[in-house]
Amino acid sequence: MKLKSYKETQRIIKENDHNLQIDMDPAPESFIKETEKILDLKFSDDYIDFLKDYGFLGYGSLELYGVTNGDPYVKSVFNTVWMTLDERKNYNLPQQFVIVAESGMGELYVLDTKTNRVELVELGDDDEFNIVPDEPEESYENFSAFFCKMVQQEENNE
């Protein structure tokens, strides 16, 4: 199965809601704007759609980070604000990057808010985050392409 669109991916999630780890909490626009202000950046339109539709997503073993209503600073694996601010503080994550997932292998998937691409990055020996060079298939044109691919992989692993 190859998921081609955000809407098709939403349909698969809805049809397989038994795979949901946790009830999602769609984020209101006011909370999304507050989150952008805290992180001092602007999210891409497709990531905003994801936040409005889900807030964050735990689907099977897939965890996509977003915003959790309430305290934007709460230490939660699903909270992109806390994760992003923590990586900025401790590891100099570039300002334009927002953490949207972890790879499970130590790398992070980040939304680059300057290009709207989702990239797999790792902390290099120089203590700088670098795009993982030997995995070009882990570079996505936008958040929607990343979202579709991750849900598709989860479905194929079942």
Side-chain angles (χ1 to χ4, degrees):
M1 165 183 51
K2 181 166 170 111
L3 299 175
K4 297 178 183 167
S5 72
Y6 183 88
K7 293 286 184 201
E8 184 180 5
T9 303
Q10 284 184 299
R11 181 184 55 76
I12 293 297
I13 291 170
K14 189 173 184 175
E15 288 174 0
N16 296 285
D17 62 354
H18 60 277
N19 285 338
L20 293 171
Q21 297 175 13
I22 189 169
D23 289 336
M24 283 91 50
D25 194 7
E29 192 160 338
S30 61
F31 198 76
I32 294 168
K33 288 187 182 307
E34 180 183 350
T35 300
E36 290 176 319
K37 186 175 179 181
I38 290 167
L39 294 175
D40 192 26
L41 47 74
K42 173 81 174 94
F43 295 138
S44 61
D45 290 343
D46 55 350
Y47 189 58
I48 290 172
D49 289 342
F50 169 79
L51 297 175
K52 286 179 179 178
D53 292 336
Y54 298 100
F56 58 89
L57 181 66
Y59 184 74
S61 64
L62 174 64
E63 295 177 344
L64 297 181
Y65 305 159
V67 297
T68 52
N69 289 322
D71 182 359
Y73 299 101
V74 68
K75 292 181 180 181
S76 163
V77 70
F78 292 109
N79 186 349
T80 196
V81 175
W82 172 71
M83 294 286 291
T84 299
L85 290 176
D86 190 62
E87 291 295 316
R88 283 181 185 172
K89 177 183 172 189
N90 294 316
Y91 301 106
N92 298 314
L93 182 73
Q95 176 72 28
Q96 81 264 20
F97 288 170
V98 175
I99 299 171
V100 294
E102 291 185 51
S103 71
M105 303 294 284
E107 301 107 348
L108 302 170
Y109 287 101
V110 296
L111 171 63
D112 183 333
T113 59
K114 287 188 178 178
T115 65
N116 291 331
R117 296 185 64 83
V118 173
E119 304 286 359
L120 182 64
V121 299
E122 64 185 352
L123 188 61
D125 294 335
D126 56 359
D127 286 335
E128 296 289 325
F129 278 94
N130 303 300
I131 294 173
V132 177
D134 56 344
E135 298 198 39
E137 71 278 5
E138 295 297 332
S139 178
Y140 301 90
E141 181 179 329
N142 53 40
F143 183 81
S144 291
F146 170 74
F147 176 63
C148 293
K149 179 76 180 280
M150 293 296 110
V151 172
Q152 177 183 323
Q153 284 179 343
E154 186 60 33
E155 284 298 311
N156 291 340
N157 288 336
E158 278 202 340

